[in-house]
């Protein structure tokens, strides 16, 4: 949010959003984007009503906030961290389960009073469904080996990204779980009056 926003904490933002429905607007990188999904989850968990202003990407979304066109947004540290650190944007909370070393004074959502908000955006590698299992397993082992390299980990950590690996089976289970969880979220959002 803008550094001069009247709310300084997540609790103040939630109070303002609930006290004046549809008075606050939020920008996202577009409908269905991970930042839009995070905002929708936030709205549903807090019962707040805010106006979505979709943009064509995170840079437009962040410019919208800095210009004062919108009040808040979700972003990734590797896209908006420099704006937060330079004071052009104010961060109220981070979505992960731990604070970012680059933003040590910014609490997690749980620390800021909203422990039910759990949202991590992630990237994974997929293969065609017909790919033989031994090849999928070998790719998973090769990726785990590359990601275990401290130099690679340090490059990603500097961008606020935590590298993790799993088995193909665990990743498939996570895909299914997220599809079910966010599918329900999107269906609920679509059924809400506009």
């Amino acid at each position: 949010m803008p550094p001069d926003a009247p709310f300084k904490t997540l609790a103040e933002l939630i109070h303002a959003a609930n006290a004046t429905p549809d008075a606050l607007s939020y920008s996202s990188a577009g409908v269905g984007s991970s930042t839009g999904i995070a905002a929708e989850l936030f709205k549903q968990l807090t019962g707040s009503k805010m106006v979505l202003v979709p943009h064509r990407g995170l840079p437009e979304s962040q410019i919208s906030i800095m210009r004062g066109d919108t009040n808040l947004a979700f972003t990734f540290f590797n896209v908006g961290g420099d704006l937060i650190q330079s004071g052009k944007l104010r961060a109220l909370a981070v979505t992960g389960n731990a604070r970012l070393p680059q933003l040590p004074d910014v609490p997690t959502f749980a620390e800021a009073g909203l422990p039910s908000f759990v949202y991590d955006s992630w990237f994974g590698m997929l293969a065609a469904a017909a790919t033989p299992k031994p090849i999928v397993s070998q790719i998973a082992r090769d990726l785990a080996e590359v990601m275990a390299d401290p130099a690679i980990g340090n490059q990603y950590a500097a961008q606020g990204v935590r590298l993790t690996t799993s088995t193909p089976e665990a990743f498939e289970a996570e895909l299914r779980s997220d599809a079910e969880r966010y599918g329900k979220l999107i269906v609920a959002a679509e059924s809400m009056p506009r």
Side-chain angles (χ1 to χ4, degrees):
M1 64 187 37
D4 60 351
F7 16 84
K8 308 268 190 279
T9 66
L10 186 64
E12 290 173 356
L13 168 64
I14 294 168
H15 175 75
N18 287 327
T20 53
D22 294 326
L24 297 178
S25 60
Y26 66 98
S27 59
S28 78
V31 174
S33 67
S34 58
T35 58
I37 292 170
E40 195 57 48
L41 178 62
F42 175 77
K43 285 173 36 187
Q44 287 188 20
L45 290 174
T46 61
S48 57
K49 293 183 180 178
M50 298 181 287
V51 178
L52 166 64
V53 181
H55 292 280
R56 290 181 289 189
L58 283 175
E60 277 189 16
S61 171
Q62 293 166 351
I63 289 169
S64 165
I65 294 170
M66 289 187 291
R67 279 194 314 239
D69 297 341
T70 53
N71 301 104
L72 62 123
F74 285 80
T75 191
F76 299 107
F77 178 80
N78 62 347
V79 179
D82 59 334
L83 297 172
I84 296 166
Q85 290 172 321
S86 67
K88 293 179 179 161
L89 293 175
R90 178 189 302 148
L92 296 183
V94 295
T95 63
N97 58 9
R99 292 185 184 207
L100 289 174
Q102 299 90 337
L103 301 172
D105 296 330
V106 179
T108 65
F109 269 82
E111 292 172 327
L114 191 60
S116 57
F117 184 94
V118 177
Y119 184 81
D120 272 327
S121 187
W122 51 260
F123 294 91
M125 182 174 277
L126 303 172
T131 306
K133 189 171 181 171
I135 292 175
V136 171
S137 297
Q138 184 61 51
I139 292 170
R141 286 191 297 274
D142 292 346
L143 275 174
E145 184 179 326
V146 169
M147 291 171 61
D149 182 336
I152 301 287
N154 290 338
Q155 284 182 321
Y156 280 94
Q159 299 178 51
V161 177
R162 183 174 48 94
L163 296 179
T164 61
T165 60
S166 69
T167 66
E169 296 77 18
F171 183 45
E172 181 177 351
E174 184 169 356
L175 282 170
R176 291 183 188 283
S177 172
D178 279 2
E180 181 179 349
R181 178 182 184 210
Y182 298 124
K184 290 177 182 175
L185 180 77
I186 291 165
V187 167
E190 287 298 316
S191 66
M192 295 176 81
R194 301 274 176 204

